[in-house]
Amino acid sequence: MARAAAVTSPAPIPSRGTRWTPSPAVGPRTEAVLSRLQLLVTRKLDGLLQGDYAGLLPGPGSEAGESREYRPGDDVRRMDWPVTARTTTPHVRRTVADRELETWLAVDLSASLDFGTGRWLKRDVVVAAAAALTHLTVRGGNRIGAVVGSGAAPAAPAGRWRPAPPSGPGQLVRLPARSGRKEAQALLRAIAGTEPRPGRGDLGALVDMLNRPPRRRGVAVVISDFLAPPQQWARPMRKLRVRHDVLAIEVVDPRELELPDVGVLPVVDPETGELHEVQTADPRLRRRYAEAAAAQRAETATQLRAAGAAHLRLRTDTDWLLDMVRFVAAQRHARTRGTTR
């Protein structure tokens, strides 16, 4: 129930506030939107997040550095056994972050993202999050690339003597990792200009594109509404975490968490086109919907935590940029234990 209810779009409920929608084709409107978004991100993030190499997942690098005494909470995998043996005091080996960071984005732009009842569409928040990540990482020669997935064409109806063929993993596009602001802007234009396609995409196949071919250690960011069943993407996420720091950005609309009491509500599944009518005046239905949605989101959070991924949830009815800033501050505080590195 949670899957079917969460992806449906309540058509009669109007959105509130300002909304921008990336055009299917990259034109003057899309260019203006990306320029305004770049200015917004630059002003707010540059004033609140300092440091050329501090991204959304600040932490140890891969190059060996100096040793220091072990403190409770340190990763025992970084124990410096030779120094520990000489001094008879536990020591850990500090690591230095690489000067060049390679970041890959897995951007889910399936049909379920073309929905929103808050200030933004979910698709808008996805593109905005990609723009903020690009701004944070494309400095000092850092490289950023992306894989973009959209819906697949619906499967042909099953015949009397043959089953329906599978719809496939959807359209998956790889944008190579490059350094430089011009290349980063071209990457964002390609993401914003991705045409929405009907049908269900395959989030697992999209994430698995970051595993093949194997790349140098870096940061992998998955941006999606995570409405696909966890069985589809949990294993590729765990595999991705073996080599990379992983950040999962979950985009949520408030109507996916609870239904309003507005009487008979026609809803349509944007990925399949199926239309249903729901009697939202029934309090038991609204309660079951909220419980199913909460269980679904809890399962998503559990699977992401089990995969070792950092989890950031962005909503269409709140300030997504402020939520990202708070997340960065919390990550830094957790990694440094409140001290300045």
Side-chain angles (χ1 to χ4, degrees), residues 196-249:
R197 292 166 57 92
R200 300 197 188 281
D202 189 336
L203 182 58
L206 178 67
V207 174
D208 205 40
M209 284 189 70
L210 298 182
N211 291 317
R212 296 179 285 111
R215 298 179 177 86
R216 58 176 294 183
R217 291 183 179 275
V219 177
V221 184
V222 181
I223 312 176
S224 174
D225 53 9
F226 287 94
L227 291 180
Q231 297 85 351
Q232 185 184 100
W233 50 263
R235 184 172 182 178
M237 288 285 287
R238 290 194 297 268
K239 183 178 178 182
L240 188 64
R241 182 62 180 86
V242 172
R243 290 186 58 84
H244 307 283
D245 286 332
V246 180
L247 169 63
I249 299 182

Side-chain angles (χ1 to χ4, degrees), residues 135-314:
H135 174 76
L136 285 173
T137 56
V138 64
R139 298 180 177 187
N142 296 336
R143 295 184 298 275
I144 185 166
V147 292
V148 184
S150 58
R160 184 176 181 180
W161 303 109
R162 71 178 188 278
S167 59
Q171 182 179 8
L172 303 176
V173 178
R174 188 188 306 274
L175 306 174
R178 294 192 174 97
S179 60
R181 294 192 177 276
K182 290 185 178 180
E183 287 74 11
Q185 287 298 311
L187 179 80
L188 290 176
R189 285 196 295 269
I191 293 174
T194 299
E195 297 185 12
R197 292 166 57 92
R200 300 197 188 281
D202 189 336
L203 182 58
L206 178 67
V207 174
D208 205 40
M209 284 189 70
L210 298 182
N211 291 317
R212 296 179 285 111
R215 298 179 177 86
R216 58 176 294 183
R217 291 183 179 275
V219 177
V221 184
V222 181
I223 312 176
S224 174
D225 53 9
F226 287 94
L227 291 180
Q231 297 85 351
Q232 185 184 100
W233 50 263
R235 184 172 182 178
M237 288 285 287
R238 290 194 297 268
K239 183 178 178 182
L240 188 64
R241 182 62 180 86
V242 172
R243 290 186 58 84
H244 307 283
D245 286 332
V246 180
L247 169 63
I249 299 182
E250 180 186 11
V251 181
V252 180
D253 187 84
R255 291 295 174 261
E256 294 174 338
L257 303 178
E258 58 182 6
L259 285 176
D261 184 0
V262 292
V264 178
L265 180 66
V267 292
V268 58
D269 188 330
E271 295 187 347
T272 63
E274 296 180 2
L275 178 65
H276 302 275
E277 290 187 352
V278 180
Q279 178 54 268
T280 61
D282 186 355
R284 293 175 299 178
L285 173 65
R286 297 198 306 273
R287 184 177 64 254
R288 291 198 305 270
Y289 180 94
E291 292 173 352
Q296 181 188 47
R297 296 302 173 180
E299 176 64 17
T300 298
T302 299
Q303 292 297 330
L304 290 175
R305 186 164 53 251
H311 184 198
L312 169 60
R313 180 173 292 171
L314 301 179

Side-chain angles (χ1 to χ4, degrees), residues 15-21 29 33 36 40 116-122 124-125 316-318 320:
S15 60
R16 302 180 300 277
T18 305
R19 170 184 295 175
W20 60 269
T21 305
R29 173 178 170 80
V33 166
R36 187 165 64 252
L40 173 67
T117 61
R119 297 176 57 194
W120 319 94
L121 292 175
K122 291 197 296 181
D124 299 341
V125 179
T316 61
D317 59 342
T318 60
W320 58 268

